[in-house]
Amino acid sequence: MNVLDPSNPAIKSYVQPGKNLLHIPSAPPAPWDWQDVPHGTVHAHEYQSGVLGRQRGLLVYTPPGYEADTAKRFPLLVLQHGFGGNQRGWVETGKAHWILDHLIAAGKAVPMVVVMVDGHPLGLVSYKGDPARQREVLEAFRRELLEEAIPLVEKSYRLAEGRENRAIAGLSMGARQSLTVGLNALDRFAWIGAFSGSCDAEAVQPALEAAQDTNARLRLLWIACGRDDRYVEGVKTFVAKLSEQGVRHVCRLVDGDHSWPVWRGCLAEFAPLLFREAEPFRGGDRVCFIGDSITHQMLYHTEITLFYLTRYPDMRVETVNCGFAGDTAAGAVRRYDWDIAARRPTVATVMLGMNDVNRGLYKPGSSGPDTEP
Amino acid sequence: MNVLDPSNPAIKSYVQPGKNLLHIPSAPPAPWDWQDVPHGTVHAHEYQSGVLGRQRGLLVYTPPGYEADTAKRFPLLVLQHGFGGNQRGWVETGKAHWILDHLIAAGKAVPMVVVMVDGHPLGLVSYKGDPARQREVLEAFRRELLEEAIPLVEKSYRLAEGRENRAIAGLSMGARQSLTVGLNALDRFAWIGAFSGSCDAEAVQPALEAAQDTNARLRLLWIACGRDDRYVEGVKTFVAKLSEQGVRHVCRLVDGDHSWPVWRGCLAEFAPLLFREAEPFRGGDRVCFIGDSITHQMLYHTEITLFYLTRYPDMRVETVNCGFAGDTAAGAVRRYDWDIAARRPTVATVMLGMNDVNRGLYKPGSSGPDTEP
């Protein structure tokens, strides 16, 4: 039995609290260390859930300056904890609020509102080996989130409207919830993140089958997992399914296991990607277009150059064609130093891969310096 | 050594957490039980304190509807915990947010914002037998509260301006802080509450000496203590000092000891008194003026009657003189049934006591049905 340290008020936010926290700050500070930057606010709401017929709670993070700049509206990220946790976990253990404060202060993330809901809508029920019960819990979560929790936040906070301003992400059980709820509600979410967890392919079958439509609506499907995570094989299987069906996604395998250091890192990497347009080129940029024959023949290169010349005649943007017909990803790496870096780009675009698949590099049994095992 | 129950996430909010909470709801619900009424929000702020040079936290309660009705401004109550606690105690243990939700829903309290600051500005330092150290800690608290915490709240929330819209109250150590800070800052606070605690008379000497000015500026000085509280004698001594100096105050001795049931009850009784004007009479009221000769000779009775007749000619307010020259408080109780209740008042005012003091009822050694031992 674990015993909590009675002289340490930092306790992990679990339904059944059994562990203390010891926060060791890094030098230089990690994104989850306390730093003297403008800080946002964490708001606790308690309400009587009509869907569940019980008292419920959720937390809302608002970015620094939210209270002062009362004209501005913000996008919303739903951020979910894992099994056994509660809505306070991402703040008290994950330091999500500090991570966002730092990213926003550094201009790395768009100021956003974050809602964290208790992911155990029916209490801490075990559903090991009982998929029907698991679906029931997930459905209770989905209904409360979409019908009560998000409307409460939309009513109480200044949010930018529309699915392009809604993201959902979570860790472990929260990853399952985010994928299942998110991929089945693309009319409400355009950005989805899953840290150290996946979901049953059948649970998101419609999104997988309508891959083209899914890709058109998804701005980002971001999946990450620790290489030593006990669930990493499940994540790989799910990602393979996405690839097989042609659903566009990003998969990141990172150092670590099924633990908060990984999840804090995931949030620090994921949050900067949210609610952003691709950044436009800026005056003085020297843009290298890296690619194979598609780039080499100057089709899109010319169009982009013309766009900037005609729309922004005063903005000096140089473009350099770094396409090489027949090139592969590995080929571009080999010629990087003398054929790409030598042009001194300030920005680059990459369009490669057609020659990799065509050459059957990924056929079973193939290996070598150009293939990943 | 106390061991925390690992299956109970409700833990008392202490700097050194050593006790679980078990909340047993009453039927009918107590003011601190969960009820299905509109609920306010609790906001957590963390900031780098310039005064203290360290990371600090405070909580803010906003009443139901605060987020929606963005034109309205609210008065502010500073509410402080006791020794060993922290800013979360009044919410997590005291259920101050629920108490206010219920009072506001019932129309018993004015909707207000509440700020709760960590009362240990220098950490959990013991100052037993070291009054200089105690003064140093109190001064650190005072400076942070007045120079950083309240300005942060004033900047971030829609507060009504002015000292008439500022109250400070607390329990035990928080009572000492509230009295000392409040009575020395009557330019900033008009309402002061002390639950189960008092302060050194010397620490508030200027307010005691300038009793007339203090009375003119104080809207309420409310002091309460459990009859079985280990600090009750200190509270009585302080209250006697107030009486001796002629500082107007209310003192309530209640059932209980130095514990949360008393403090929750104190808040439930104190909050409804805050930020209110005396209620005006309403159409249809039958007002009985109860008193002695001062009432009997109809001086103020006539003025009030004339005021309503001339200012509100359409409002039917009946006034009845229930003054009886030479009457005492006990005398009024004796004639209540046949001489006061018989007039069927809907409201009453009481102006009694001159004849009680004059007759020396409270001289040492005196006792009887008209005196309280």
Side-chain angles (χ1 to χ4, degrees):
Chain A
M1 182 182 127
N2 292 327
V3 174
L4 288 167
D5 176 356
S7 65
N8 182 355
I11 296 168
K12 274 182 121 172
S13 308
Y14 283 139
V15 179
Q16 300 190 334
K19 287 175 183 166
N20 283 100
L21 291 169
L22 180 63
H23 190 112
I24 303 172
S26 311
W32 41 87
D33 289 335
W34 174 259
Q35 294 178 45
D36 187 9
V37 300
H39 285 275
T41 313
V42 174
H43 317 256
H45 292 262
E46 293 168 314
Y47 56 100
Q48 184 73 20
S49 165
V51 165
L52 304 170
R54 57 168 77 192
Q55 179 201 339
R56 297 280 290 160
L58 58 81
L59 293 191
V60 174
Y61 164 87
T62 53
Y66 174 89
E67 287 95 347
D69 182 357
T70 55
K72 199 166 170 190
R73 304 186 81 85
F74 299 84
L76 178 71
L77 164 64
V78 177
L79 186 62
Q80 290 303 124
H81 62 84
F83 189 88
N86 63 34
Q87 72 273 21
R88 295 197 309 273
W90 261 113
V91 167
E92 292 181 6
T93 314
K95 309 295 180 197
H97 56 324
W98 294 354
I99 292 173
L100 284 161
D101 288 342
H102 302 149
L103 292 171
I104 292 167
K108 288 184 186 161
V110 168
M112 65 185 82
V113 171
V114 182
V115 59
M116 292 154 278
V117 179
D118 177 354
H120 291 295
L122 308 180
L124 191 60
V125 291
S126 172
Y127 39 66
K128 272 236 161 91
D130 186 348
R133 182 68 170 148
Q134 186 176 29
R135 279 195 300 277
E136 185 194 334
V137 173
L138 188 61
E139 173 61 11
F141 171 78
R142 189 192 69 80
R143 282 197 59 202
E144 193 199 14
L145 178 71
L146 299 185
E147 296 172 22
E148 287 189 316
I150 293 181
L152 182 155
V153 180
E154 289 176 330
K155 198 180 131 198
S156 305
Y157 296 85
R158 298 188 312 278
L159 298 188
E161 287 184 6
R163 50 184 294 288
E164 300 271 327
N165 288 306
R166 296 287 179 277
I168 184 168
L171 72 90
S172 197
M173 178 182 81
R176 171 183 291 271
Q177 291 167 336
S178 300
L179 291 168
T180 315
V181 173
L183 285 169
N184 284 305
L186 292 171
D187 55 324
R188 308 194 50 161
F189 300 99
W191 316 75
I192 301 175
F195 315 156
S196 306
S198 56
C199 75
D200 306 321
E202 311 85 71
V204 295
Q205 203 57 45
L208 295 181
E209 281 173 3
Q212 210 176 340
D213 183 53
T214 300
N215 288 338
R217 300 165 93 185
L218 264 182
R219 293 290 305 274
L220 179 65
L221 174 53
W222 196 88
I223 298 170
C225 194
R227 271 182 256 274
D228 302 324
D229 193 303
R230 60 184 182 271
Y231 298 122
V232 72
E233 288 311 319
V235 170
K236 284 183 181 169
T237 304
F238 182 72
V239 167
K241 192 83 188 173
L242 291 174
S243 301
E244 195 183 308
Q245 298 282 340
V247 173
R248 204 161 49 221
H249 61 277
V250 176
C251 177
R252 293 269 296 115
L253 290 185
V254 299
D255 287 339
D257 56 7
H258 201 72
S259 63
W260 277 103
V262 167
W263 305 325
R264 290 170 171 172
C266 284
L267 181 63
E269 211 177 306
F270 176 68
L273 308 173
L274 291 177
F275 312 122
R276 283 191 185 278
E277 299 301 324
E279 208 151 302
F281 300 136
R282 282 175 282 207
D285 266 343
R286 189 175 166 86
V287 188
C288 280
F289 295 96
I290 304 165
D292 48 32
S293 58
I294 298 168
T295 305
H296 203 172
Q297 61 192 302
M298 299 195 68
L299 289 181
Y300 69 90
H301 171 171
T302 313
E303 285 185 23
I304 292 171
T305 308
L306 273 173
F307 175 85
Y308 273 88
L309 267 175
T310 52
R311 298 291 180 88
Y312 303 102
D314 298 332
M315 189 194 284
R316 216 176 53 87
V317 173
E318 269 185 84
T319 59
V320 185
N321 190 312
C322 288
F324 180 67
D327 206 10
T328 61
V333 171
R334 276 193 293 267
R335 67 184 169 96
Y336 181 77
D337 284 340
W338 61 267
D339 193 36
I340 299 171
R343 320 292 184 102
R344 291 176 294 107
T346 59
V347 220
T349 71
V350 180
M351 181 94 88
L352 280 164
M354 289 305 288
N355 299 307
D356 298 80
V357 270
N358 280 349
R359 289 169 183 210
L361 284 172
Y362 298 107
K363 268 189 190 154
S366 68
S367 73
D370 295 352
T371 57
E372 246 196 25
Chain B
M1 182 182 129
N2 292 328
V3 174
L4 288 166
D5 176 356
S7 65
N8 182 356
I11 296 169
K12 273 183 122 171
S13 308
Y14 283 140
V15 179
Q16 300 189 334
K19 286 175 183 167
N20 283 100
L21 291 170
L22 180 64
H23 190 112
I24 302 173
S26 312
W32 42 87
D33 290 334
W34 175 259
Q35 294 178 47
D36 188 8
V37 300
H39 286 274
T41 312
V42 175
H43 317 256
H45 292 263
E46 293 167 315
Y47 55 100
Q48 185 72 22
S49 165
V51 166
L52 305 170
R54 56 168 77 192
Q55 178 201 340
R56 296 280 289 160
L58 58 81
L59 293 190
V60 174
Y61 164 87
T62 52
Y66 175 88
E67 288 95 348
D69 183 358
T70 56
K72 201 169 167 186
R73 304 186 81 86
F74 299 83
L76 178 71
L77 164 64
V78 177
L79 187 61
Q80 290 303 124
H81 61 83
F83 189 88
N86 62 35
Q87 72 273 23
R88 295 198 309 272
W90 261 113
V91 167
E92 292 180 6
T93 313
K95 308 297 180 197
H97 57 324
W98 294 353
I99 292 172
L100 284 161
D101 289 342
H102 302 148
L103 292 171
I104 293 166
K108 288 183 185 162
V110 168
M112 64 185 83
V113 170
V114 182
V115 60
M116 292 154 277
V117 178
D118 178 354
H120 291 295
L122 308 181
L124 191 59
V125 292
S126 173
Y127 39 66
K128 271 237 161 92
D130 186 349
R133 181 71 171 145
Q134 185 175 31
R135 278 195 300 276
E136 184 194 336
V137 173
L138 188 61
E139 174 61 11
F141 171 78
R142 188 192 69 80
R143 281 198 58 202
E144 191 198 16
L145 178 72
L146 299 186
E147 296 172 24
E148 287 190 316
I150 292 180
L152 182 155
V153 180
E154 288 176 332
K155 197 179 131 199
S156 305
Y157 296 85
R158 299 189 310 279
L159 297 188
E161 288 184 5
R163 52 184 292 286
E164 300 272 327
N165 289 306
R166 296 287 179 279
I168 184 168
L171 71 89
S172 196
M173 177 183 81
R176 171 182 290 271
Q177 292 167 335
S178 299
L179 290 168
T180 315
V181 173
L183 285 169
N184 285 305
L186 291 172
D187 55 324
R188 309 194 49 159
F189 300 99
W191 315 76
I192 300 175
F195 314 156
S196 305
S198 56
C199 74
D200 306 322
E202 310 86 72
V204 295
Q205 201 58 44
L208 294 181
E209 280 173 4
Q212 208 174 343
D213 182 53
T214 300
N215 288 338
R217 301 164 91 185
L218 265 182
R219 294 291 304 275
L220 179 64
L221 174 54
W222 196 89
I223 297 169
C225 194
R227 270 181 257 272
D228 302 324
D229 192 303
R230 60 183 180 272
Y231 299 121
V232 71
E233 288 311 318
V235 170
K236 284 183 181 169
T237 304
F238 182 72
V239 166
K241 191 83 188 172
L242 291 174
S243 301
E244 196 183 306
Q245 298 282 342
V247 174
R248 205 163 46 222
H249 61 276
V250 176
C251 177
R252 293 270 294 115
L253 290 184
V254 299
D255 288 340
D257 56 7
H258 201 71
S259 63
W260 278 104
V262 168
W263 304 325
R264 291 169 171 173
C266 283
L267 180 63
E269 211 178 306
F270 176 67
L273 308 173
L274 292 176
F275 312 121
R276 283 191 185 279
E277 299 300 323
E279 207 151 303
F281 301 136
R282 282 175 281 210
D285 266 343
R286 189 174 165 87
V287 188
C288 279
F289 297 95
I290 304 165
D292 48 33
S293 59
I294 298 167
T295 305
H296 203 170
Q297 62 192 303
M298 299 194 67
L299 289 181
Y300 69 91
H301 170 173
T302 313
E303 286 186 21
I304 294 169
T305 308
L306 273 173
F307 175 84
Y308 274 87
L309 267 174
T310 51
R311 298 290 179 89
Y312 303 101
D314 298 332
M315 189 194 284
R316 215 175 54 86
V317 173
E318 269 185 84
T319 59
V320 184
N321 191 311
C322 287
F324 180 68
D327 208 8
T328 60
V333 170
R334 278 193 290 268
R335 67 184 168 96
Y336 181 77
D337 283 339
W338 61 269
D339 194 36
I340 299 171
R343 320 290 184 103
R344 291 173 295 107
T346 60
V347 219
T349 70
V350 180
M351 180 95 88
L352 281 164
M354 289 305 288
N355 300 307
D356 298 80
V357 268
N358 280 347
R359 287 170 185 209
L361 283 173
Y362 297 107
K363 267 189 191 152
S366 69
S367 73
D370 295 353
T371 57
E372 247 195 24

